Amino acid sequence: MSNLITEFTPFEYLLIAAANAYGKDKLLFEERIQFMKENGRNLARLVETADDKPLFTRALIELENIQKGNLSSGFMSGLDGTASGLQMLACMSGCIRTATNVG
């Protein structure tokens, strides 16, 4: 059986959270990561068009801290749920079929 859960690095989770704050929360996680990487040199210019400007700015500060070598962070990365109740039930019951169907 193949691994059904994609694992991301802490840095990638930060990119996902930043993309969420920008307004890309409907994209796949991989697409959110790609959006951030494609705009890497222009992220500060995107602040004004972000859906959640304060959270996007905070994520950019964390990205800058990581680039400076500060890997200690208190940033809370929020991820979206597609069917949160069913996702929790799938985790608690170990039902792979349900987990696959609800992300």
Side-chain angles (χ1 to χ4, degrees):
M1 178 180 240
S2 65
N3 185 6
L4 299 174
I5 298 174
T6 303
E7 294 183 19
F8 298 99
T9 66
F11 181 74
E12 289 172 324
Y13 278 118
L14 180 55
L15 294 177
I16 292 166
N20 288 349
Y22 183 75
K24 299 295 184 180
D25 54 309
K26 302 298 184 223
L27 299 178
L28 296 173
F29 283 176
E30 293 83 1
E31 293 171 328
R32 297 176 210 191
I33 293 168
Q34 189 60 36
F35 168 79
M36 293 299 292
K37 288 180 176 180
E38 287 173 358
N39 290 286
R41 297 191 188 274
N42 301 309
L43 292 173
R45 294 183 192 149
L46 297 178
V47 170
E48 287 305 312
T49 55
D51 284 358
D52 187 337
K53 292 178 182 90
L55 186 57
F56 186 68
T57 301
R58 178 68 173 100
L60 296 185
I61 291 168
E62 284 304 314
L63 288 169
E64 187 176 299
N65 286 339
I66 288 171
Q67 289 176 331
K68 292 177 181 176
N70 182 4
L71 303 180
S72 178
S73 171
F75 184 78
M76 295 296 292
S77 177
L79 302 176
D80 54 317
T82 55
S84 299
L86 286 174
Q87 288 172 327
M88 294 175 119
L89 181 63
C91 288
M92 291 186 294
S93 68
C95 181
I96 300 295
R97 184 174 182 184
T98 299
T100 302
N101 287 316
V102 296

